[in-house]
Each structure stands twice: as C-alpha cells, then as structure tokens.
Amino acid sequence: MKQYGLTAEGLRRIRDAADPGNPHSYEWYVIENINTPEERMERTTSLEEAIRTYTALNTEDKRLGVTKDDIAAVDIIIRHGGREWISEDRLKLDSFRSDPTVAAAVTEIQSVLAGCTPTQGMAANRKEDD
C-alpha cells in the first residue's frame, strides 16, 4: 500500500476501513460545480437525502459519493459535460471494493436515476473510467 504521506495512524485507519469485519460509518456527499468558485458540497448520513439533493440539482457538473469511516472517500455517480455515469473507482479501492453498503447504494442510485432520466438513460451516457 502506498503511503501518500499518511501517518502510521492514517494507514491503520485506511486498512480498518477496508476490513469487512469492522463496523463502518458512512457519510454521503453531493458536490456541484467542482473546482470552480461556485463549488458547493452538502453532506448527510442519509443516502436517500443525498439522492434527493443530487437529483434536484440542475447543473451539468455534480457528483454523489461517500466517505467511509471519516478516512476514505469515493465518487459514485458523476455528471460532467452533459454525460452521467456510475464511477468504477469504488471497484479499484480496497476500502470500497467488497463493501455491501456501497454496492447496495450503487444499485439504489441506479434504480432511482433510471426513473428520473429519459429513455436513453444513464446507460447511453455511461463513461468508463480511465
């Protein structure tokens, strides 16, 4: 595991976040207009509230993601440049790869957004991460 400047305590917390045997805390976030002066982030402990916030935003640049155990974070759905896709980053990170809460959240997000999008839906706008 690369250290990325983390302390020994930080590295331990990252490992603990990846351990399916540990209890975990989750905080959902929605970001709009990322990396601009208009950037805004809202956080909630409720996935349902995060989904409501995300779907209510009328912006071309928004993300819905999750922070786990106050140490690891990943975007789950991204809308940018007129395209919207489920990010595969969670599958690349030990903290999220086998997490049943995050997997269930992805399914719920896909289900809710499928009902909110035109018939071409998210699948037509899906982008594979590099």
Side-chain angles (χ1 to χ4, degrees), residues 24-42:
H24 300 289
S25 64
Y26 299 89
E27 183 178 62
W28 306 93
Y29 61 82
V30 176
I31 304 172
E32 67 177 312
N33 302 315
I34 196 165
N35 296 325
T36 71
E38 295 81 29
E39 181 176 317
R40 189 173 65 95
M41 176 187 272
E42 288 190 37

Side-chain angles (χ1 to χ4, degrees), residues 105-117:
V106 170
T107 300
E108 185 170 345
I109 291 166
Q110 288 174 315
S111 175
V112 168
L113 292 178
C116 297
T117 57

Side-chain angles (χ1 to χ4, degrees), residues 85-113:
W85 66 94
I86 298 291
S87 173
E88 300 292 323
D89 288 348
R90 73 191 185 289
L91 302 175
K92 300 172 187 173
L93 301 170
D94 292 340
S95 298
F96 299 100
R97 182 179 305 120
S98 300
D99 187 299
T101 299
V102 174
V106 170
T107 300
E108 185 170 345
I109 291 166
Q110 288 174 315
S111 175
V112 168
L113 292 178

Side-chain angles (χ1 to χ4, degrees), residues 79 82-84 113-126:
R79 180 167 180 79
R83 295 178 9 179
E84 187 170 60
L113 292 178
C116 297
T117 57
T119 54
Q120 68 191 85
M122 248 179 11
N125 293 325
R126 188 167 177 355

Side-chain angles (χ1 to χ4, degrees), residues 28-66:
W28 306 93
Y29 61 82
V30 176
I31 304 172
E32 67 177 312
N33 302 315
I34 196 165
N35 296 325
T36 71
E38 295 81 29
E39 181 176 317
R40 189 173 65 95
M41 176 187 272
E42 288 190 37
R43 297 176 183 270
T44 179
T45 56
S46 163
L47 172 60
E48 293 75 20
E49 181 61 29
I51 292 171
R52 278 192 295 276
T53 301
Y54 180 88
T55 57
L57 290 175
N58 186 21
T59 180
E60 289 299 310
D61 185 9
K62 59 184 177 177
R63 298 166 185 232
L64 186 156
V66 64

